Amino acid sequence: MYLVNIVIHFILPLVFLIAPMSIIIHEMGHLLGARIVKADHYKLSIGKGKKIFSFSCHSLQIIIRTLYFTGGEAKSRRKHAYKPFDISLITAGGPLLNLVFALMCYSFFKSYPSNLIGLFILFNLWLGVGNLIPFKVRGKPSDGYVIFKAILECVKS
């Protein structure tokens, strides 16, 4: 019975609700950074697998895939190339928005404590802080790694 409670009250909400919503927040942070540096086109893709939903409006394209809880990707482009500072701003937007969201959830949690809100706080803190750490896994760099490389590029110039 204890294991069933863990699955129902922790694992299922984490995998199917908290992680996807937090990933969307993270990727929207990247798009917000791209908007600040005046990108022309934005693409938000959530999940892996077959496309189940697609929406386009002006310069924004949103794609939701069947395994929507497995991650996301934000892309943007503009006519002239991004400078290292622009890349840093776009990249930092994701983790920073997760940290802001965690703080917002915490202020709500103080008045209305619940396990679900607590999970949102912890997952967004993990996503925000974890992505600021510079590392590479299977050739895929973390946001922190991309920011670190952009800062090195600024220092070289």
Side-chain angles (χ1 to χ4, degrees), residues 33-44:
R35 176 110 174 135
I36 290 169
V37 299
K38 301 186 181 358
D40 298 321
H41 298 284
Y42 312 92
K43 181 179 178 182
L44 173 64

Side-chain angles (χ1 to χ4, degrees), residues 9-20:
H9 296 289
F10 178 73
I11 296 174
L12 290 177
L14 182 64
V15 170
F16 294 107
L17 179 69
I18 293 167

Side-chain angles (χ1 to χ4, degrees), residues 17-18 49 52 55 62 73-74 88 90 92 99 110 113 121 134 145 157:
L17 179 69
I18 293 167
I52 58 172
F55 172 79
I62 298 172
E73 181 179 49
S88 294
I90 293 168
L99 295 173
K110 288 182 355 187
I121 294 167
Y145 186 88
S157 310

Side-chain angles (χ1 to χ4, degrees), residues 28-92:
M28 291 299 285
H30 291 309
L31 294 182
L32 181 61
R35 176 110 174 135
I36 290 169
V37 299
K38 301 186 181 358
D40 298 321
H41 298 284
Y42 312 92
K43 181 179 178 182
L44 173 64
S45 181
I46 301 299
K48 294 185 182 354
K50 283 180 97 171
K51 182 176 14 175
I52 58 172
F53 175 78
S54 180
F55 172 79
S56 292
C57 181
H58 301 288
S59 60
L60 173 66
Q61 179 184 19
I62 298 172
I63 300 168
I64 308 292
R65 300 186 182 280
T66 50
L67 300 174
Y68 65 92
F69 48 85
T70 59
E73 181 179 49
K75 290 185 177 183
S76 63
R77 67 178 199 266
R78 66 182 185 188
K79 290 176 184 136
H80 55 282
Y82 291 122
K83 295 178 181 170
F85 178 78
D86 300 335
I87 293 168
S88 294
L89 190 61
I90 293 168
T91 306

Side-chain angles (χ1 to χ4, degrees), residues 68-129:
Y68 65 92
F69 48 85
T70 59
E73 181 179 49
K75 290 185 177 183
S76 63
R77 67 178 199 266
R78 66 182 185 188
K79 290 176 184 136
H80 55 282
Y82 291 122
K83 295 178 181 170
F85 178 78
D86 300 335
I87 293 168
S88 294
L89 190 61
I90 293 168
T91 306
L96 292 178
L97 197 57
N98 284 119
L99 295 173
V100 167
F101 188 74
L103 284 172
M104 289 171 37
C105 285
Y106 178 71
S107 65
F108 191 74
F109 181 80
K110 288 182 355 187
S111 299
Y112 305 99
S114 80
N115 291 339
L116 192 63
I117 297 170
L119 283 174
F120 265 111
I121 294 167
L122 292 174
F123 192 81
N124 278 279
L125 281 173
W126 173 78
L127 206 53
V129 173

